[in-house]
Amino acid sequence: MTERLAIRLPSSLVAEREGPVAILRLNRPQKRNALDDETIVGIEQFFTSLPGGVGAALLAGEGEHFSAGLDLSELEERDIVQGIAHSNLWHRAFEKIQFGKVPVVAVLQGAVVGGGLELAAAAHVRVAERSAYYALPEGSRGIYVGGGASVRLPRLIGVARMVDMMLTGRTYSAEEGQAMGLTTYLVETAKGFTKGLELAQRIAGNAPLTNFAVMHALPRIAEMDPAAGYSVEALMSAIAQADPDAKARLKAFLEKRAPKVTRS
Ligand code: 1HE
């Protein structure tokens, strides 16, 4: 059963909850879910205010497009200091997604462009409907990415691909995105939300400490030199297995009460 979540948000966002999954919908389809400052602050608010019992989040966009990126009508004259502060606002909000309380699944359709792609890149799992397409039109608008794309996208698709996308305005389809690492799951039109919710529910069923390790330790270990990485991995592994939840889950498997791994 879907219920409203009591988090104060602008009208461009809707917060709901379905059991252990918190759902955030970009709700400005008439503007193709363009992201204005108020919406960015609302996204940060949502991901910092998740109530207890929530184990995963689902991020989706109303209408035919996930997001057209930065709200270009708000691009007023900013001086350099204000420009840095604006970009930092996005960084702060999207950090709350990538390094927040719970893993986040994004459901993508239509345009996933500019800041919309930066938002999607902050999620942990991306479910793309066949209609989804990825682009970085900043070059043609005379601006530069500011929502963390320079950091996140090279790690997903490589520097060379991002350079090409920005210089030539190249668009990638949802299918192409799957080969590149942008699309984690490819689904048919209108099937994205159901698939995303199913995955989020599954994630919410994991041990919270394992989800924490995957979100917070894994990406940092991957950036470390190997010797430090092995060391932190050993610590994280010992911490996770010492948790009573892990002990109960292992016992359940050994007593044949837990599901086996199956071919899907
Ligand atoms: C917008 C925006 C927007 C639509 N800011 N208002 N992003 C872009 O460069 C993408 C710009 N948008 C588009 O290319 C197209 O709108 C779409 C391909 C996404 C969708 O096309 P379509 O035909 O379905 O819609 P539309 O008729 O273009 O747009 C409907 C309305 O939304 C229209 O307003 P209206 O008052 O005339 O109805 C559009 O002006 C409005 N709209 N996109 C403001 N982005 C942290 S830095 C990040 C830097 C970036 O993100 S740069 C990339 C910006």
Side-chain angles (χ1 to χ4, degrees), residues 28-36 40 64-65 67-75 86-87 90-91 94 110-118 133 135-141 143-149:
R28 218 181 158 210
Q30 72 284 6
K31 292 288 176 191
R32 309 309 184 246
N33 296 321
L35 302 166
D36 55 10
I40 297 297
E64 289 176 14
H65 300 280
S67 173
L70 175 72
D71 187 327
L72 296 169
S73 69
E74 265 196 356
L75 257 193
H86 181 256
S87 176
W90 283 57
H91 292 161
F94 293 2
V112 185
V113 306
L117 177 52
E118 298 187 287
Y133 57 94
L136 292 171
E138 281 82 349
S140 66
R141 308 280 178 232
I143 53 177
Y144 185 67
V145 291

Side-chain angles (χ1 to χ4, degrees), residues 42-84:
I43 290 172
E44 180 178 11
Q45 186 65 25
F46 175 84
F47 284 102
T48 49
S49 313
L50 294 175
V54 165
L58 190 61
L59 174 64
E62 287 296 338
E64 289 176 14
H65 300 280
F66 173 70
S67 173
L70 175 72
D71 187 327
L72 296 169
S73 69
E74 265 196 356
L75 257 193
E76 71 232 46
E77 286 288 313
R78 289 192 188 103
D79 63 24
I80 292 173
V81 172
Q82 289 165 331
I84 292 171

Side-chain angles (χ1 to χ4, degrees), residues 206-230:
N206 293 338
L209 199 50
T210 304
N211 281 347
F212 172 86
V214 172
M215 286 175 70
H216 293 269
L218 173 56
R220 270 125 187 175
I221 294 171
E223 301 285 335
M224 288 175 188
D225 72 86
Y230 290 132

Side-chain angles (χ1 to χ4, degrees), residues 199-210:
L199 293 169
Q201 272 160 344
R202 195 171 167 154
I203 291 168
N206 293 338
L209 199 50
T210 304

Side-chain angles (χ1 to χ4, degrees), residues 141-157:
R141 308 280 178 232
I143 53 177
Y144 185 67
V145 291
S150 317
V151 173
R152 293 196 182 92
L153 280 183
R155 287 174 168 79
L156 287 173
I157 65 173

Side-chain angles (χ1 to χ4, degrees), residues 39 67 101 105 168 170 206 222 242 254:
T39 305
S67 173
K101 296 179 180 176
V105 178
T168 68
R170 181 175 187 162
N206 293 338
L254 295 172

